[in-house]
Structures are given as C-alpha cells and as structure tokens.
Short mmCIF file of all heavy atoms in Angstrom, two decimals:
data_model
loop_
_atom_site.label_atom_id
_atom_site.label_comp_id
_atom_site.label_asym_id
_atom_site.label_seq_id
_atom_site.Cartn_x
_atom_site.Cartn_y
_atom_site.Cartn_z
N MET A 1 0.86 -1.24 0.03
CA MET A 1 0.01 0.07 0.07
C MET A 1 0.83 1.25 0.03
O MET A 1 1.93 1.27 0.59
CB MET A 1 -0.94 -0.10 1.28
CG MET A 1 -1.91 1.06 1.36
SD MET A 1 -3.11 0.73 2.66
CE MET A 1 -4.34 1.95 2.33
N ASN A 2 0.36 2.27 -0.70
CA ASN A 2 1.21 3.58 -0.61
C ASN A 2 0.74 4.41 0.55
O ASN A 2 -0.47 4.79 0.52
CB ASN A 2 0.98 4.23 -1.92
CG ASN A 2 1.53 3.66 -3.17
OD1 ASN A 2 2.68 3.16 -3.01
ND2 ASN A 2 0.91 3.59 -4.28
N THR A 3 1.55 4.61 1.42
CA THR A 3 1.12 5.29 2.76
C THR A 3 2.00 6.53 2.82
O THR A 3 3.06 6.73 2.30
CB THR A 3 1.44 4.50 3.93
OG1 THR A 3 2.82 4.25 4.18
CG2 THR A 3 0.71 3.06 3.86
N THR A 4 1.34 7.56 3.66
CA THR A 4 2.03 8.75 3.85
C THR A 4 1.92 9.12 5.31
O THR A 4 0.92 8.81 5.95
CB THR A 4 1.42 9.97 3.02
OG1 THR A 4 1.65 9.75 1.64
CG2 THR A 4 1.78 11.31 3.50
N VAL A 5 3.07 9.53 5.89
CA VAL A 5 3.12 9.97 7.25
C VAL A 5 3.61 11.40 7.27
O VAL A 5 4.67 11.65 6.85
CB VAL A 5 3.97 9.03 8.12
CG1 VAL A 5 3.96 9.54 9.63
CG2 VAL A 5 3.44 7.57 8.07
N ILE A 6 2.79 12.25 7.87
CA ILE A 6 3.17 13.68 8.12
C ILE A 6 3.28 13.92 9.57
O ILE A 6 2.41 13.73 10.35
CB ILE A 6 2.08 14.61 7.49
CG1 ILE A 6 2.20 14.41 5.88
CG2 ILE A 6 2.40 16.12 7.84
CD1 ILE A 6 1.20 15.29 5.22
N GLY A 7 4.51 14.41 9.97
CA GLY A 7 4.86 14.53 11.38
C GLY A 7 5.76 13.51 11.97
O GLY A 7 5.29 12.28 11.96
N LEU A 8 6.95 13.68 12.05
CA LEU A 8 7.94 12.73 12.34
C LEU A 8 8.59 12.98 13.83
O LEU A 8 9.71 12.95 13.99
CB LEU A 8 9.07 12.69 11.30
CG LEU A 8 8.55 12.31 9.96
CD1 LEU A 8 9.74 12.32 8.96
CD2 LEU A 8 7.93 10.94 9.89
N GLY A 9 7.63 13.25 14.84
CA GLY A 9 8.09 13.10 16.16
C GLY A 9 8.16 11.49 16.48
O GLY A 9 8.30 10.70 15.63
N PRO A 10 8.34 11.22 17.77
CA PRO A 10 8.59 9.74 18.19
C PRO A 10 7.51 8.88 17.60
O PRO A 10 7.81 7.82 17.09
CB PRO A 10 8.55 9.86 19.58
CG PRO A 10 9.09 11.23 20.00
CD PRO A 10 8.54 12.14 18.94
N MET A 11 6.24 9.40 17.54
CA MET A 11 5.11 8.46 17.15
C MET A 11 5.18 8.37 15.66
O MET A 11 5.01 7.22 15.09
CB MET A 11 3.82 9.13 17.54
CG MET A 11 3.56 9.14 19.04
SD MET A 11 3.28 7.41 19.78
CE MET A 11 1.75 6.99 19.03
N GLY A 12 5.36 9.40 14.98
CA GLY A 12 5.32 9.32 13.39
C GLY A 12 6.56 8.64 12.95
O GLY A 12 6.46 7.77 11.94
N ARG A 13 7.68 8.75 13.56
CA ARG A 13 8.90 7.85 13.17
C ARG A 13 8.57 6.44 13.33
O ARG A 13 8.96 5.63 12.63
CB ARG A 13 10.19 8.45 13.91
CG ARG A 13 10.60 9.82 13.36
CD ARG A 13 12.03 10.10 13.62
NE ARG A 13 12.40 9.90 14.94
CZ ARG A 13 12.30 10.83 15.90
NH1 ARG A 13 11.78 12.01 15.54
NH2 ARG A 13 12.67 10.69 17.11
N ALA A 14 8.02 6.19 14.63
CA ALA A 14 7.76 4.68 14.90
C ALA A 14 6.70 4.03 13.89
O ALA A 14 7.01 2.99 13.43
CB ALA A 14 7.28 4.59 16.34
N MET A 15 5.67 4.83 13.71
CA MET A 15 4.68 4.36 12.79
C MET A 15 5.30 4.11 11.37
O MET A 15 5.02 3.07 10.71
CB MET A 15 3.37 5.19 12.75
CG MET A 15 2.61 5.10 14.01
SD MET A 15 0.94 5.95 13.90
CE MET A 15 1.55 7.66 14.04
N SER A 16 6.03 5.04 10.94
CA SER A 16 6.64 4.92 9.54
C SER A 16 7.55 3.75 9.51
O SER A 16 7.59 2.93 8.49
CB SER A 16 7.49 6.20 9.27
OG SER A 16 6.67 7.31 9.31
N ALA A 17 8.39 3.53 10.60
CA ALA A 17 9.28 2.33 10.56
C ALA A 17 8.48 1.06 10.50
O ALA A 17 8.91 0.09 9.77
CB ALA A 17 10.15 2.38 11.82
N VAL A 18 7.36 0.92 11.21
CA VAL A 18 6.48 -0.26 11.17
C VAL A 18 6.02 -0.48 9.86
O VAL A 18 5.93 -1.64 9.31
CB VAL A 18 5.43 -0.14 12.23
CG1 VAL A 18 4.37 -1.20 12.05
CG2 VAL A 18 5.93 -0.26 13.68
N LEU A 19 5.58 0.58 9.13
CA LEU A 19 5.00 0.45 7.83
C LEU A 19 6.04 -0.01 6.86
O LEU A 19 5.79 -0.93 6.01
CB LEU A 19 4.40 1.76 7.36
CG LEU A 19 3.01 2.20 8.03
CD1 LEU A 19 2.70 3.61 7.69
CD2 LEU A 19 1.88 1.38 7.64
N LEU A 20 7.18 0.56 6.97
CA LEU A 20 8.26 0.08 6.13
C LEU A 20 8.62 -1.44 6.31
O LEU A 20 8.72 -2.18 5.37
CB LEU A 20 9.56 0.91 6.34
CG LEU A 20 9.56 2.38 5.71
CD1 LEU A 20 10.66 3.09 6.31
CD2 LEU A 20 9.61 2.28 4.25
N ARG A 21 8.72 -1.75 7.51
CA ARG A 21 9.04 -3.24 7.85
C ARG A 21 7.96 -4.18 7.30
O ARG A 21 8.29 -5.32 6.99
CB ARG A 21 9.21 -3.39 9.37
CG ARG A 21 10.60 -2.87 9.92
CD ARG A 21 10.96 -3.41 11.24
NE ARG A 21 10.02 -3.15 12.33
CZ ARG A 21 10.14 -1.99 13.08
NH1 ARG A 21 11.12 -1.22 12.82
NH2 ARG A 21 9.23 -1.76 13.94
N ALA A 22 6.76 -3.62 7.33
CA ALA A 22 5.65 -4.49 6.75
C ALA A 22 5.62 -4.48 5.30
O ALA A 22 4.77 -5.20 4.67
CB ALA A 22 4.33 -3.98 7.37
N GLY A 23 6.52 -3.81 4.61
CA GLY A 23 6.63 -3.77 3.15
C GLY A 23 5.71 -2.76 2.35
O GLY A 23 5.65 -2.83 1.18
N HIS A 24 5.26 -1.82 3.20
CA HIS A 24 4.53 -0.74 2.42
C HIS A 24 5.54 0.33 1.96
O HIS A 24 6.45 0.58 2.48
CB HIS A 24 3.44 -0.12 3.35
CG HIS A 24 2.51 -1.17 3.93
ND1 HIS A 24 1.45 -1.70 3.16
CD2 HIS A 24 2.24 -1.68 5.19
CE1 HIS A 24 0.69 -2.50 3.90
NE2 HIS A 24 1.33 -2.49 5.15
N ALA A 25 4.98 0.99 0.88
CA ALA A 25 5.77 2.14 0.42
C ALA A 25 5.31 3.35 1.47
O ALA A 25 4.14 3.49 1.80
CB ALA A 25 5.39 2.60 -1.01
N VAL A 26 6.38 4.10 1.79
CA VAL A 26 6.08 5.10 2.73
C VAL A 26 6.68 6.45 2.33
O VAL A 26 7.84 6.49 1.97
CB VAL A 26 6.72 4.82 4.16
CG1 VAL A 26 6.42 5.95 5.21
CG2 VAL A 26 6.18 3.49 4.74
N THR A 27 5.84 7.48 2.12
CA THR A 27 6.28 8.82 1.82
C THR A 27 6.06 9.67 3.10
O THR A 27 5.12 9.53 3.79
CB THR A 27 5.44 9.42 0.71
OG1 THR A 27 5.68 8.63 -0.50
CG2 THR A 27 5.89 10.90 0.49
N VAL A 28 7.12 10.47 3.44
CA VAL A 28 7.08 11.25 4.67
C VAL A 28 7.29 12.77 4.47
O VAL A 28 7.88 13.09 3.46
CB VAL A 28 8.08 10.74 5.73
CG1 VAL A 28 7.82 9.28 6.17
CG2 VAL A 28 9.53 10.88 5.23
N TRP A 29 6.74 13.50 5.33
CA TRP A 29 7.07 15.01 5.25
C TRP A 29 7.08 15.49 6.75
O TRP A 29 6.22 14.90 7.57
CB TRP A 29 6.01 15.84 4.51
CG TRP A 29 6.36 17.25 4.49
CD1 TRP A 29 7.23 17.76 3.51
CD2 TRP A 29 6.01 18.32 5.39
NE1 TRP A 29 7.46 19.10 3.75
CE2 TRP A 29 6.69 19.49 4.94
CE3 TRP A 29 5.32 18.39 6.52
CZ2 TRP A 29 6.59 20.67 5.67
CZ3 TRP A 29 5.16 19.56 7.12
CH2 TRP A 29 5.78 20.67 6.80
N ASN A 30 8.02 16.29 7.08
CA ASN A 30 8.08 16.89 8.38
C ASN A 30 8.55 18.31 8.30
O ASN A 30 9.58 18.63 7.39
CB ASN A 30 9.02 16.07 9.28
CG ASN A 30 8.94 16.36 10.72
OD1 ASN A 30 7.92 16.25 11.26
ND2 ASN A 30 10.02 16.87 11.16
N ARG A 31 8.02 19.25 9.04
CA ARG A 31 8.46 20.61 9.05
C ARG A 31 9.97 20.73 9.12
O ARG A 31 10.66 21.39 8.42
CB ARG A 31 7.81 21.43 10.15
CG ARG A 31 8.33 22.79 10.32
CD ARG A 31 7.58 23.53 11.47
NE ARG A 31 7.87 22.84 12.81
CZ ARG A 31 7.36 23.30 13.90
NH1 ARG A 31 6.62 24.42 13.99
NH2 ARG A 31 7.69 22.62 14.99
N THR A 32 10.63 19.89 10.05
CA THR A 32 12.04 19.87 10.25
C THR A 32 12.60 18.62 9.48
O THR A 32 12.50 17.55 9.94
CB THR A 32 12.45 19.82 11.73
OG1 THR A 32 11.86 20.87 12.44
CG2 THR A 32 13.91 19.78 11.94
N GLY A 33 13.04 18.88 8.25
CA GLY A 33 13.36 17.78 7.32
C GLY A 33 14.35 16.75 7.85
O GLY A 33 14.29 15.63 7.43
N GLY A 34 15.26 17.18 8.61
CA GLY A 34 16.38 16.35 9.03
C GLY A 34 15.89 15.24 9.84
O GLY A 34 16.49 14.08 9.95
N ARG A 35 14.66 15.22 10.46
CA ARG A 35 14.10 14.16 11.23
C ARG A 35 13.69 12.91 10.31
O ARG A 35 13.51 12.01 10.80
CB ARG A 35 12.94 14.57 12.04
CG ARG A 35 13.27 15.52 13.09
CD ARG A 35 12.05 16.00 13.91
NE ARG A 35 12.14 15.38 15.25
CZ ARG A 35 11.36 15.69 16.28
NH1 ARG A 35 10.32 16.48 16.09
NH2 ARG A 35 11.43 15.09 17.45
N ALA A 36 13.78 13.10 8.99
CA ALA A 36 13.41 11.99 8.14
C ALA A 36 14.68 11.14 7.69
O ALA A 36 14.42 10.16 7.07
CB ALA A 36 12.72 12.56 6.89
N ALA A 37 15.78 11.63 8.15
CA ALA A 37 17.09 10.96 7.47
C ALA A 37 17.06 9.46 7.68
O ALA A 37 17.41 8.77 6.82
CB ALA A 37 18.28 11.60 8.07
N GLU A 38 16.81 9.00 8.97
CA GLU A 38 16.92 7.62 9.25
C GLU A 38 15.85 6.74 8.46
O GLU A 38 16.12 5.67 7.95
CB GLU A 38 16.64 7.37 10.75
CG GLU A 38 17.24 6.02 11.24
CD GLU A 38 17.15 5.98 12.79
OE1 GLU A 38 17.65 6.92 13.45
OE2 GLU A 38 16.54 5.02 13.27
N LEU A 39 14.63 7.33 8.32
CA LEU A 39 13.64 6.67 7.61
C LEU A 39 13.91 6.63 6.15
O LEU A 39 13.68 5.67 5.45
CB LEU A 39 12.22 7.44 7.86
CG LEU A 39 11.69 7.26 9.16
CD1 LEU A 39 10.55 8.30 9.38
CD2 LEU A 39 11.19 5.82 9.42
N VAL A 40 14.47 7.73 5.54
CA VAL A 40 14.87 7.76 4.10
C VAL A 40 15.95 6.63 3.90
O VAL A 40 15.95 5.86 2.93
CB VAL A 40 15.39 9.11 3.74
CG1 VAL A 40 16.05 9.13 2.30
CG2 VAL A 40 14.23 10.06 3.73
N ALA A 41 16.83 6.49 4.86
CA ALA A 41 17.90 5.44 4.76
C ALA A 41 17.28 4.03 4.79
O ALA A 41 17.81 3.15 4.23
CB ALA A 41 19.03 5.60 5.88
N ALA A 42 16.11 3.92 5.47
CA ALA A 42 15.38 2.74 5.49
C ALA A 42 14.45 2.45 4.32
O ALA A 42 13.74 1.39 4.21
CB ALA A 42 14.67 2.59 6.79
N GLY A 43 14.42 3.39 3.41
CA GLY A 43 13.52 3.27 2.11
C GLY A 43 12.36 4.10 1.95
O GLY A 43 11.63 4.11 1.05
N ALA A 44 12.22 5.08 2.94
CA ALA A 44 11.00 6.06 2.79
C ALA A 44 11.44 7.09 1.84
O ALA A 44 12.65 7.34 1.62
CB ALA A 44 10.68 6.68 4.19
N VAL A 45 10.43 7.79 1.22
CA VAL A 45 10.65 8.93 0.35
C VAL A 45 10.31 10.16 1.02
O VAL A 45 9.14 10.20 1.60
CB VAL A 45 9.79 8.73 -1.00
CG1 VAL A 45 9.90 9.97 -1.89
CG2 VAL A 45 10.30 7.47 -1.69
N LEU A 46 11.15 11.09 1.04
CA LEU A 46 10.91 12.43 1.71
C LEU A 46 10.33 13.37 0.67
O LEU A 46 10.97 13.69 -0.33
CB LEU A 46 12.19 13.05 2.30
CG LEU A 46 12.06 14.48 2.81
CD1 LEU A 46 11.07 14.54 4.05
CD2 LEU A 46 13.44 14.90 3.35
N ALA A 47 9.02 13.75 0.77
CA ALA A 47 8.33 14.62 -0.10
C ALA A 47 8.77 16.08 0.06
O ALA A 47 9.17 16.55 1.21
CB ALA A 47 6.82 14.53 0.05
N ASP A 48 8.76 16.89 -1.01
CA ASP A 48 9.24 18.26 -0.91
C ASP A 48 8.17 19.12 -0.16
O ASP A 48 8.53 20.09 0.49
CB ASP A 48 9.36 18.81 -2.28
CG ASP A 48 10.51 18.23 -2.99
OD1 ASP A 48 11.46 17.83 -2.33
OD2 ASP A 48 10.57 18.16 -4.28
N THR A 49 6.89 18.80 -0.27
CA THR A 49 5.85 19.62 0.33
C THR A 49 4.88 18.69 0.97
O THR A 49 4.65 17.51 0.54
CB THR A 49 5.13 20.47 -0.72
OG1 THR A 49 4.44 19.61 -1.52
CG2 THR A 49 6.09 21.36 -1.59
N PRO A 50 3.98 19.22 1.87
CA PRO A 50 2.85 18.37 2.52
C PRO A 50 1.98 17.90 1.40
O PRO A 50 1.48 16.75 1.37
CB PRO A 50 2.22 19.29 3.47
CG PRO A 50 3.25 20.36 3.80
CD PRO A 50 4.13 20.56 2.60
N GLY A 51 1.76 18.86 0.39
CA GLY A 51 0.71 18.41 -0.76
C GLY A 51 1.34 17.26 -1.48
O GLY A 51 0.61 16.36 -1.90
N ASP A 52 2.60 17.29 -1.76
CA ASP A 52 3.23 16.16 -2.60
C ASP A 52 3.13 14.96 -1.83
O ASP A 52 2.91 13.81 -2.27
CB ASP A 52 4.65 16.55 -2.85
CG ASP A 52 4.90 17.51 -3.97
OD1 ASP A 52 3.95 17.87 -4.65
OD2 ASP A 52 6.04 18.00 -4.06
N ALA A 53 3.32 15.03 -0.44
CA ALA A 53 3.16 13.79 0.43
C ALA A 53 1.81 13.30 0.43
O ALA A 53 1.60 11.94 0.27
CB ALA A 53 3.58 14.15 1.82
N VAL A 54 0.81 14.10 0.59
CA VAL A 54 -0.58 13.56 0.54
C VAL A 54 -0.93 12.94 -0.82
O VAL A 54 -1.47 11.82 -0.81
CB VAL A 54 -1.60 14.67 0.89
CG1 VAL A 54 -3.09 14.25 0.69
CG2 VAL A 54 -1.39 15.13 2.37
N ALA A 55 -0.46 13.50 -1.87
CA ALA A 55 -0.73 13.05 -3.29
C ALA A 55 -0.11 11.72 -3.46
O ALA A 55 -0.66 10.83 -4.31
CB ALA A 55 -0.24 14.08 -4.26
N ALA A 56 0.97 11.39 -2.70
CA ALA A 56 1.60 10.10 -3.01
C ALA A 56 1.01 8.94 -2.16
O ALA A 56 1.17 7.78 -2.61
CB ALA A 56 3.13 10.17 -2.46
N GLY A 57 0.10 9.23 -1.26
CA GLY A 57 -0.38 8.12 -0.42
C GLY A 57 -1.82 7.77 -0.67
O GLY A 57 -2.66 8.71 -0.87
N ASP A 58 -2.16 6.45 -0.61
CA ASP A 58 -3.58 6.06 -0.66
C ASP A 58 -4.11 6.28 0.79
O ASP A 58 -5.37 6.44 0.98
CB ASP A 58 -3.76 4.72 -0.99
CG ASP A 58 -3.18 4.46 -2.34
OD1 ASP A 58 -3.54 5.21 -3.31
OD2 ASP A 58 -2.51 3.40 -2.56
N LEU A 59 -3.19 6.21 1.77
CA LEU A 59 -3.60 6.39 3.18
C LEU A 59 -2.66 7.56 3.77
O LEU A 59 -1.44 7.40 3.60
CB LEU A 59 -3.44 5.08 3.95
CG LEU A 59 -3.59 5.30 5.57
CD1 LEU A 59 -4.91 5.54 5.98
CD2 LEU A 59 -2.92 4.03 6.20
N THR A 60 -3.18 8.47 4.49
CA THR A 60 -2.34 9.49 4.99
C THR A 60 -2.48 9.53 6.51
O THR A 60 -3.70 9.68 6.96
CB THR A 60 -2.58 10.93 4.41
OG1 THR A 60 -2.18 10.95 3.10
CG2 THR A 60 -1.77 11.97 5.16
N ILE A 61 -1.42 9.43 7.27
CA ILE A 61 -1.47 9.53 8.71
C ILE A 61 -0.81 10.83 9.12
O ILE A 61 0.27 11.11 8.73
CB ILE A 61 -0.75 8.40 9.36
CG1 ILE A 61 -1.36 7.06 8.98
CG2 ILE A 61 -0.71 8.49 10.91
CD1 ILE A 61 -0.51 5.82 9.37
N LEU A 62 -1.63 11.64 9.93
CA LEU A 62 -1.07 12.84 10.53
C LEU A 62 -0.69 12.55 12.02
O LEU A 62 -1.49 12.10 12.72
CB LEU A 62 -2.09 13.90 10.53
CG LEU A 62 -2.73 14.30 9.09
CD1 LEU A 62 -3.72 15.51 9.27
CD2 LEU A 62 -1.56 14.69 8.06
N SER A 63 0.56 12.85 12.33
CA SER A 63 1.02 12.57 13.65
C SER A 63 1.65 13.89 14.16
O SER A 63 2.92 14.06 14.17
CB SER A 63 1.90 11.47 13.72
OG SER A 63 2.42 11.18 15.15
N LEU A 64 0.84 14.82 14.53
CA LEU A 64 1.28 16.25 14.92
C LEU A 64 0.84 16.60 16.30
O LEU A 64 0.07 15.88 16.98
CB LEU A 64 0.59 17.20 13.96
CG LEU A 64 0.87 16.94 12.34
CD1 LEU A 64 -0.03 17.75 11.47
CD2 LEU A 64 2.36 17.30 12.11
N THR A 65 1.46 17.65 16.78
CA THR A 65 1.34 18.17 18.15
C THR A 65 -0.22 18.37 18.46
O THR A 65 -0.78 17.94 19.41
CB THR A 65 2.06 19.38 18.37
OG1 THR A 65 3.48 19.10 18.20
CG2 THR A 65 1.87 19.76 19.92
N ASP A 66 -0.91 19.03 17.50
CA ASP A 66 -2.31 19.22 17.55
C ASP A 66 -3.01 19.21 16.22
O ASP A 66 -2.29 19.17 15.28
CB ASP A 66 -2.70 20.39 18.51
CG ASP A 66 -2.04 21.66 17.86
OD1 ASP A 66 -1.88 21.80 16.66
OD2 ASP A 66 -1.65 22.57 18.69
N1 NAP B 101 4.85 10.14 22.13
C1 NAP B 101 3.96 9.36 22.69
O1 NAP B 101 4.23 8.35 23.43
C2 NAP B 101 2.46 9.52 22.29
C3 NAP B 101 1.58 8.69 22.76
C4 NAP B 101 0.09 8.73 22.32
C5 NAP B 101 -0.22 9.83 21.53
N2 NAP B 101 0.74 10.75 21.09
C6 NAP B 101 0.27 11.82 20.20
O2 NAP B 101 0.87 11.60 18.93
C7 NAP B 101 1.13 12.88 18.44
C8 NAP B 101 2.59 13.05 18.10
O3 NAP B 101 3.32 12.80 19.22
P1 NAP B 101 4.87 12.89 19.19
O4 NAP B 101 5.31 12.46 20.51
O5 NAP B 101 5.39 12.14 17.95
O6 NAP B 101 4.98 14.46 19.00
P2 NAP B 101 6.17 15.58 18.86
O7 NAP B 101 7.45 14.92 19.17
O8 NAP B 101 5.64 16.70 19.65
O9 NAP B 101 6.07 15.89 17.31
C9 NAP B 101 5.09 16.64 16.86
C10 NAP B 101 5.13 16.72 15.35
O10 NAP B 101 4.45 17.88 14.94
C11 NAP B 101 5.15 18.70 14.22
N3 NAP B 101 4.67 20.02 14.37
C12 NAP B 101 4.35 20.65 15.59
N4 NAP B 101 3.92 21.95 15.39
C13 NAP B 101 4.02 22.18 14.01
C14 NAP B 101 3.71 23.27 13.14
N5 NAP B 101 3.34 24.46 13.64
N6 NAP B 101 3.84 23.10 11.80
C15 NAP B 101 4.34 21.88 11.33
N7 NAP B 101 4.56 20.84 12.07
C16 NAP B 101 4.53 20.90 13.37
C17 NAP B 101 6.62 18.51 14.58
O11 NAP B 101 7.53 18.93 13.55
P3 NAP B 101 8.99 19.32 13.91
O12 NAP B 101 9.70 18.09 13.93
O13 NAP B 101 9.30 20.22 12.81
O14 NAP B 101 9.06 19.98 15.30
C18 NAP B 101 6.55 17.01 14.79
O15 NAP B 101 6.72 16.32 13.57
C19 NAP B 101 0.64 13.93 19.37
O16 NAP B 101 -0.64 14.37 19.04
C20 NAP B 101 0.72 13.25 20.77
O17 NAP B 101 -0.33 13.74 21.54
C21 NAP B 101 2.04 10.59 21.47
#
C-alpha cells in the first residue's frame, strides 16, 4: 500500500518504521526535514511539500502536536 506519514516526532517515526518493515511504500514529510534521515535510509521517500506527500499516499497519517 502507498502510505504517507506527516509529522515525524517519536510517534510518526515509529509508525513509519513499522509500515516500512511491513513492506508498504512510505512517503514522509516533516517541518524539520532532518528528522526524516533515518527513515529515508530505510527506504522512505521524503516529499518536498505536504501536498506532494498527501498526493503520494492512498492512506495519510497525521501525527502532529495538535
Ligand atoms: N509520544 C507518545 O508516546 C504519544 C502517545 C500517544 C499519543 N501521542 C500523540 O501523537 C502525536 C505526536 O506525538 P509525538 O510524541 O510524536 O509528537 P512531537 O514529538 O511533539 O512531534 C510533533 C510533530 O508535529 C510537528 N509540528 C508541531 N508543530 C508544528 C507546526 N506548527 N507546523 C508543522 N509541524 C508541526 C513537529 O514537527 P518538527 O519536527 O518540525 O518540530 C513533529 O513532527 C501527538 O498528538 C501526541 O499527543 C504521542
């Protein structure tokens, strides 16, 4: 499944890692782009914009402060 995770705090990073391990395609976006580095190394794609991230996923998970 093509999934998108926006917000890479501890929860967003953990959910993204689980999705990758389960074999799903994962596109991520985070305000602070550096937080995506470990996930990108594990196979995630870092989108340039939130809109690009949403467009890439059949399912989008938001994991934000509020
Ligand atoms: N951690 C837990 O154990 C836990 C358990 C249950 C539920 N939750 C809930 O899960 C959600 C995420 O938790 P977390 O611990 O992963 O959160 P976190 O570390 O506070 O991260 C929050 C995320 O929101 C982003 N963000 C905050 N303000 C923003 C803004 N104005 N514009 C764009 N992005 C913004 C942060 O981006 P930056 O990286 O750029 O700051 C980060 O990606 C929260 O709603 C929390 O209540 C957390």
